[in-house]
Amino acid sequence: MKILAVDDHPVFLYGLTSMLSRYAQFEVTQAQSGASALKIAKETHPDIVLVDLIMPEMNGIQLITAIKEDKDLVQSHIIVLSSDGSEQAITQAIQAGIDGFVSKNASEQSIIESITTVYDGYQYFGQDISTTIARIKDATAAPDSLFTSRELEVIRLSCEGMIYKEIANAMGIAQRTVESYKRSIFQKLGVDTTVKVVLYAIKHGLVRL
């Protein structure tokens, strides 16, 4: 399995390639810039390209795009290995066509697993990256689709100023069931208070004032 590791930080790149070189099934080359990586990729046709996002001149997204647009590199699968796990970075990388995304602080086992998984034709995202992706999907989904009909009813009654007991009476359910709905709503929105739920509902048109 031919692997091209790309990172502009020589110490990290040395550590990464040294780690990968311990595995007999890996043939590892390295590049310290996007431009040199693209040149090496065209010469060696790697199976896996490990790409850092934050690089001078040609950054990771530009490199990914260039590889994906090159007909001679269709066999090259791309895994982002970056310290930037922001929603913006992940969204841009996915749109550019990556096959996996792993944080730089991931364990050796996770990095190796990402390589073998992607090589087998599947996508791989580290656990923290998967959590962020789920949050992105929730944020871009239609607000109503995030919640069940009962959760929406709890939200709307909360916006009317009802407390748990009053919501339970209005819906004809137990108070502990309302509490369960609220926990689910909090988790989906990543909030911890009813006030924040109400603000979300108003902003996204779930209720009319």
Side-chain angles (χ1 to χ4, degrees):
M1 190 188 309
K2 292 186 291 185
I3 300 174
L4 171 59
V6 188
D7 198 295
D8 65 318
H9 291 87
V11 174
F12 179 83
L13 186 60
Y14 174 79
L16 176 62
T17 54
S18 296
M19 181 265 288
L20 295 175
S21 296
R22 296 203 305 268
Y23 294 81
Q25 71 268 37
F26 297 156
E27 178 184 325
V28 187
T29 54
Q30 59 178 278
Q32 292 189 26
S33 71
S36 62
L38 187 58
K39 180 180 179 181
I40 293 171
K42 290 181 177 181
E43 294 172 350
T44 62
H45 299 279
D47 299 299
I48 301 290
V49 184
L50 298 173
V51 180
D52 184 20
L53 291 181
I54 306 172
M55 296 187 292
E57 298 178 10
M58 178 182 280
N59 62 35
I61 298 298
Q62 292 170 325
L63 174 59
I64 294 165
T65 301
I67 292 174
K68 289 296 181 179
E69 291 178 349
D70 194 317
K71 295 180 180 179
D72 293 330
L73 297 175
V74 292
Q75 84 290 344
S76 296
H77 301 291
I78 300 176
I79 300 172
V80 169
L81 185 59
S82 179
S83 58
D84 185 1
S86 65
E87 292 186 9
Q88 181 180 6
I90 294 171
T91 300
Q92 289 178 339
I94 291 175
Q95 290 174 343
I98 62 168
D99 301 285
F101 197 125
V102 184
S103 296
K104 275 189 173 181
N105 61 0
S107 65
E108 177 177 332
Q109 180 181 354
S110 294
I111 295 174
I112 299 304
E113 185 179 357
S114 73
I115 293 171
T116 55
T117 300
V118 167
Y119 182 75
D120 287 338
Y122 302 96
Q123 291 186 325
Y124 183 96
F125 296 95
Q127 185 174 358
D128 53 340
I129 303 300
S130 295
T131 301
T132 304
I133 290 174
R135 190 163 61 243
I136 293 170
K137 289 181 177 179
D138 285 347
T140 56
D144 281 9
S145 69
L146 295 179
F147 310 103
T148 66
S149 59
R150 301 295 268 177
E151 288 171 347
L152 283 170
E153 185 64 19
V154 169
I155 291 173
R156 288 166 182 151
L157 292 174
S158 296
C159 290
E160 293 178 12
M162 292 188 183
I163 61 175
Y164 285 89
K165 183 177 180 181
E166 292 170 332
I167 293 173
N169 291 335
M171 295 180 65
I173 57 178
Q175 182 172 325
R176 63 177 178 275
T177 305
V178 176
E179 294 169 355
S180 177
Y181 286 141
K182 274 287 187 74
R183 283 195 299 270
S184 176
I185 293 165
F186 287 167
Q187 185 175 14
K188 288 179 179 179
L189 294 180
V191 301
D192 54 5
T193 67
T194 299
V195 171
K196 292 178 181 178
V197 173
V198 171
L199 291 174
Y200 175 91
I202 295 171
K203 180 179 178 180
H204 291 85
L206 297 183
V207 294
R208 293 183 180 179
L209 298 180

